[in-house]
């Protein structure tokens, strides 16, 4: 069948059906024929109508959102704005894009979000050198421009650029923008190369509202820092919290007069530690990791440094030598309330004599003591631990924690240790004989190295010869079980919280609490908190032992 020709453009009907473009028509003296012109007009009308349809749909969808969204329809803008603020604050820091998510819902939500400055006061800028920096600067400008005049929390993360000797050069527009907001910095978290510090600050010395500063360079280490790596922000009258790692103290120039919290995540030397305590007289909380021997950047004090404000001290030594012992000998902490020691190295033991001397010299009323021994750490001797606790009668909260892979089978809470609890009752003892008379909370985590009967000495009162009968729920027979006289009477310490996590291996057999000890534990649980667990098997040993012996709690209650 032959194809027919179009009378207008002489194109075959087959071509018209398959791919007809009226613009290509030149039949009328090089111009489109009348039919093709009409088709072109029709196509243009279709395009205009489609555009009009899209605009109408957008307007109608906005009206639908306004009429069907109960959030914007029924709530005043002020309440909706407050809800947005609560949502964003709850999302930070894990979801830094929460404000943008709210603004992307609809036009009404976007208007509320853009008029709520508080949700734009926190920004996380995560950059690399392959990104479009001018575009990022524009986005940051828009974000911070919505924050009004409120204090700002800024997090800046820039990796090390191995391909250039001037990593801060391309970031200068961004750094310049952030410096314009320096009067409003409240929290500043910098994860940028230390060699960009000078470019970032560029002569800036004053941050009047800055309360929290976190410095962690992108470089893993550097042996010979130069002046470009110095962080100089001398006037920071509001600075209360400082956290840093990798950096040497001689690279940091800050006003520390009002600092209350200090955390060093990496190596810090003995002389740096004492220098920091000297510079921060109002420091309340101090966490130091990997304390090393002095490198003589700062002079050690000849007499003990008296720090009257420090209340909480956490130390994680990691070195050879006497650094920790010297630190204890050079300090006096009269306000100390809690002390936490984490042993991470087999090369460092807790110098008990120096520590006890520090506590006695300071005459502080320590209420919380925590000792944690990591897998490669050194377990203190039982006698040394007892001597330490005997020097701290004001302790109310004691935590002893061992890793399951800690070398050696010896634990910290043994029968010998627990026997010290039961040596005398508080009613009949002299002040010299009292052992932890104010203990309210005890936490232990480690391998079981004590007997159940000795553990009951923590909870029992003076021994009694009275016997009671308890019926075996399974066998139906009666058995004698010694009744406990619980620690709620005034002759014993006020212990009302005890959590014991036992770390066993897969080869250890399942163990159950004997009936007499179980009676003590169950009665203690009536008025206080006691949790004894096999961590590996996720088993509550009190409950599993009741089931094993065929008993219910009511049978053991007094």
């Amino acid at each position: 069948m032959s194809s027919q020709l179009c009378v207008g453009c002489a194109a075959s009907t087959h071509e018209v059906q398959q791919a007809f473009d009226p613009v290509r028509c030149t039949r009328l003296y090089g111009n489109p024929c009348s039919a093709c012109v009409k088709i072109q007009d029709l196509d243009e009308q279709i395009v205009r109508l489609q555009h009009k349809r899209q605009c109408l749909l957008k307007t109608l969808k906005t009206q639908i959102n306004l009429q069907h969204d109960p959030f914007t329809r029924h709530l005043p803008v002020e309440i909706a704005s407050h809800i947005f603020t609560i949502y964003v604050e709850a999302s930070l820091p894990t979801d830094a894009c929460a404000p943008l998510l709210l603004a992307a819902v609809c036009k009404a939500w976007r208007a509320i979000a853009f008029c709520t400055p508080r949700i734009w006061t926190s920004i996380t800028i995560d950059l690399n050198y392959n990104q479009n920096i001018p575009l990022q600067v524009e986005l940051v400008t828009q974000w911070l421009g919505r924050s009004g005049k409120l204090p700002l929390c800024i997090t800046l993360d820039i990796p090390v650029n191995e391909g250039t000797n001037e990593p801060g050069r391309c970031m200068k527009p961004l750094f310049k923008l952030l410096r314009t907001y320096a009067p409003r910095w409240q929290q500043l978290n910098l994860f940028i190369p230390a060699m960009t510090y000078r470019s970032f600050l560029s002569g800036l010395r004053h941050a009047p509202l800055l309360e929290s500063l976190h410095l962690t360079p992108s470089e893993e280490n550097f042996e010979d820092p130069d002046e470009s790596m110095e962080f100089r922000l001398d006037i920071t009258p509001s600075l209360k919290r400082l956290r840093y790692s990798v950096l040497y103290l001689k690279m940091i120039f800050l006003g520390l007069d009002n600092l209350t919290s200090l955390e060093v995540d990496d190596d810090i030397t003995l002389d740096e530690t004492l220098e920091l305590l000297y510079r921060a007289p109002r420091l309340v909380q101090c966490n130091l990791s990997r304390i090393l021997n002095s490198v003589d950047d700062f002079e050690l004090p000849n007499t003990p440094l008296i720090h009257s404000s420090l209340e909480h001290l956490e130390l994680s030594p990691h070195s050879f030598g006497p650094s920790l012992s010297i630190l204890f000998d050079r300090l006096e902490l009269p306000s100390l309330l809690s002390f936490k020691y984490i042993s991470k190295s087999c090369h460092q033991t807790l110098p008990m004599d120096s520590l006890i001397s520090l506590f006695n010299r300071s005459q502080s009323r320590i209420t919380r003591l925590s000792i944690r021994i990591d897998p490669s750490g050194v377990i203190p001797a039982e006698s040394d631990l007892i001597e330490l606790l005997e020097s701290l009668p004001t302790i109310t909260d004691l935590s002893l924690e061992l890793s399951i892979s800690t070398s050696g089978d010896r634990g910290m809470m043994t029968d010998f240790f627990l026997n010290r609890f039961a040596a005398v009752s508080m009613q009949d003892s002299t002040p010299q004989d009292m052992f932890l008379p104010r203990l309210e909370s005890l936490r232990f985590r480690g391998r079981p190295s004590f007997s159940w009967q000795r553990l009951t000495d923590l909870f029992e009162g003076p021994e009694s010869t009275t016997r009671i009968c308890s019926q075996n729920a399974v066998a139906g027979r009666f058995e004698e079980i010694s009744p406990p006289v619980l620690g709620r009477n005034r002759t014993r310490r006020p212990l009302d919280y005890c959590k014991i996590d036992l770390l066993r291996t897969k080869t250890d057999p399942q163990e159950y609490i004997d009936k007499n000890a179980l009676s003590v534990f169950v009665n203690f649980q009536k008025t206080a908190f006691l949790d004894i667990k096999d961590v590996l098997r996720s088993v509550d040993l009190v409950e599993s032992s009741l089931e094993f012996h065929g008993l219910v709690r009511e049978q053991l209650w007094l």
Side-chain angles (χ1 to χ4, degrees):
M1 179 178 178
S2 61
S3 61
Q4 298 178 355
L5 296 178
C6 172
V7 296
C9 62
S12 67
T13 54
H14 176 75
E15 292 173 350
V16 172
Q17 293 173 359
Q18 293 299 317
F20 175 67
D21 184 3
V23 177
R24 295 170 53 191
C25 177
T26 59
R27 184 64 178 172
L28 190 61
Y29 306 105
N31 296 316
C33 66
S34 59
C36 289
V37 170
K38 292 179 180 179
I39 293 176
Q40 291 183 40
D41 292 339
L42 182 61
D43 288 341
E44 291 174 358
Q45 292 180 39
I46 292 174
V47 171
R48 287 195 299 269
L49 288 173
Q50 287 177 337
H51 177 71
K52 185 176 181 180
R53 179 180 180 274
Q54 292 296 328
C55 294
L56 287 174
L57 282 176
K58 187 175 181 180
T59 302
L60 290 173
K61 287 181 179 179
T62 300
Q63 294 177 359
I64 290 173
N65 287 335
L66 290 174
Q67 295 177 11
H68 290 264
D69 181 12
F71 184 81
T72 55
R73 185 180 179 187
H74 298 294
L75 292 179
V77 174
E78 294 81 5
I79 295 179
S81 177
H82 183 62
I83 293 173
F84 279 9
T85 301
I86 294 174
Y87 168 76
V88 171
E89 290 178 349
S91 301
L92 296 174
T94 55
D95 188 0
C97 295
L100 295 178
L101 294 177
L102 294 174
V105 172
C106 65
K107 184 177 180 180
W109 283 42
R110 182 159 54 253
I112 296 173
F114 283 1
C115 295
T116 306
R118 190 170 296 277
I119 69 175
W120 304 98
T121 58
S122 180
I123 183 172
T124 298
I125 308 169
D126 192 351
L127 296 180
N128 60 61
Y129 295 91
N130 296 323
Q131 288 178 304
N132 186 337
I133 302 302
L135 175 61
Q136 298 298 320
V137 171
E138 177 60 27
L139 294 175
V140 173
T141 302
Q142 294 178 10
W143 184 297
L144 295 180
R146 304 181 189 119
S147 64
K149 300 296 182 181
L150 297 176
L152 300 174
C153 171
I154 297 175
T155 299
L156 181 59
D157 193 340
I158 301 175
V160 175
N161 185 7
E162 302 292 349
T164 177
N165 295 325
E166 298 183 76
R169 187 172 182 178
C170 62
M171 299 293 175
K172 284 185 177 181
L174 176 62
F175 292 166
K176 182 179 179 180
L177 171 65
L178 295 178
R179 283 197 302 274
T180 63
Y181 291 93
R184 293 167 51 198
W185 290 350
Q186 186 177 59
Q187 183 175 343
L188 188 61
N189 306 311
L190 296 181
F191 306 94
I192 64 178
M195 62 184 68
T196 66
Y197 284 165
R198 173 183 289 181
S199 177
F200 176 79
L201 294 174
S202 186
L204 180 67
R205 293 290 183 266
H206 191 199
L209 297 184
L210 186 62
E211 295 182 1
S212 177
L213 177 62
H214 185 177
L215 299 174
T216 297
S218 305
E219 301 98 334
E220 294 183 359
N221 55 69
F222 33 78
E223 297 181 357
D224 189 19
D226 56 36
E227 292 184 358
S228 67
M229 299 180 180
E230 293 179 352
F231 191 89
R232 289 184 174 270
L233 194 59
D234 306 298
I235 306 175
T236 51
S238 301
L239 187 62
K240 293 180 174 61
R241 296 177 298 277
L242 173 61
R243 181 178 180 182
Y244 73 90
S245 60
V246 181
L247 298 171
Y248 296 101
L249 180 59
K250 63 183 180 181
M251 302 165 58
I252 302 174
F253 297 85
L254 294 167
L256 304 180
D257 291 342
N258 295 312
L259 193 71
T260 59
S261 176
L262 171 66
E263 187 171 354
V264 182
D265 298 325
D266 211 320
D267 296 350
I268 181 172
T269 62
L270 173 62
D271 54 325
E272 288 178 326
T273 301
L274 292 169
E275 180 68 18
L276 274 170
L277 293 175
Y278 174 75
R279 291 186 191 178
R282 291 181 174 84
L283 193 64
V284 175
Q285 181 168 343
C286 181
N287 298 349
L288 304 177
S289 299
R290 297 174 61 89
I291 301 176
L292 306 176
N293 295 323
S294 295
V295 294
D296 299 328
D297 283 340
F298 303 96
E299 185 178 352
L300 296 178
N302 295 322
T303 58
L305 173 65
I306 302 175
H307 198 293
S308 301
S309 299
L310 191 62
E311 297 180 0
H312 309 283
L313 178 61
E314 179 178 325
L315 301 176
S316 304
H318 193 277
S319 68
F320 296 94
S323 58
L324 202 56
S325 178
I326 297 175
L327 177 63
F328 293 155
D329 292 338
R330 302 295 175 93
L331 282 178
E332 188 172 324
L333 308 173
S335 299
L336 194 64
L337 296 177
S338 71
F339 177 77
K340 184 174 183 179
Y341 172 80
I342 303 175
S343 177
K344 298 181 178 180
S345 170
C346 60
H347 307 303
Q348 181 70 63
T349 59
L350 181 59
M352 287 295 186
D353 291 341
S354 297
L355 183 59
I356 293 173
S357 176
L358 167 63
F359 292 153
N360 291 336
R361 181 171 61 253
S362 302
Q363 296 183 346
S364 52
R365 299 178 64 83
I366 295 180
T367 59
R368 305 187 68 178
L369 177 67
S370 176
I371 298 177
R372 193 182 88 192
I373 310 298
D374 283 352
S376 59
V378 180
I379 303 174
E382 297 166 291
S383 57
D384 290 340
L385 182 59
I386 290 175
E387 184 180 0
L388 173 64
L389 295 176
E390 286 176 339
S391 68
L392 299 172
T394 55
I395 287 181
T396 61
D397 189 313
L398 175 62
S399 177
L400 304 174
E401 184 176 348
L402 290 174
S403 168
I404 191 170
S405 56
T406 302
S407 58
D409 296 328
R410 179 171 55 83
M412 282 194 289
M413 198 160 77
T414 63
D415 281 356
F416 177 78
F417 175 77
L418 292 173
N419 185 61
R420 185 65 182 87
F421 279 88
V424 290
S425 70
M426 291 175 58
Q427 187 178 35
D428 302 325
S429 64
T430 64
Q432 291 77 15
D433 294 328
M434 291 183 182
F435 185 69
L436 303 181
R438 300 183 181 181
L439 187 65
E440 299 175 5
S441 173
L442 175 64
R443 297 173 180 83
F444 172 77
R445 182 180 179 89
R447 290 187 61 81
S449 50
F450 53 82
S451 63
W452 295 118
Q453 192 57 43
R454 186 53 64 192
L455 184 62
T456 62
D457 293 334
L458 286 172
F459 316 111
E460 286 186 310
E463 293 184 0
S464 172
T465 57
T466 306
R467 310 290 287 182
I468 64 171
C469 291
S470 175
Q471 186 177 12
N472 187 300
V474 176
R477 61 180 183 274
F478 289 84
E479 299 178 356
E480 289 188 342
I481 299 178
S482 300
V485 183
L486 296 176
R488 307 301 293 182
N489 65 63
R490 299 184 182 279
T491 64
R492 304 296 288 179
R493 60 189 57 82
L495 183 66
D496 59 9
Y497 181 96
C498 184
K499 182 174 178 59
I500 299 176
D501 292 331
L502 301 179
L503 304 179
R504 292 190 170 97
T505 63
K506 294 181 179 180
T507 58
D508 292 335
Q510 177 66 51
E511 184 178 354
Y512 298 98
I513 304 170
D514 64 78
K515 294 180 181 179
N516 286 332
L518 190 60
S519 176
V520 175
F521 300 154
V522 168
N523 279 276
F524 182 79
Q525 287 179 331
K526 289 173 61 178
T527 54
F529 178 86
L530 173 62
D531 184 27
I532 306 176
K533 281 190 177 179
D534 183 332
V535 175
L536 177 65
R537 299 178 176 87
S538 298
V539 172
D540 184 323
L541 286 178
V542 173
E543 294 296 335
S544 64
S545 297
L546 284 170
E547 183 179 351
F548 176 78
H549 294 298
L551 298 171
V552 294
R553 290 177 176 273
E554 289 76 5
Q555 294 174 289
L556 303 179
W557 284 354
L558 298 180

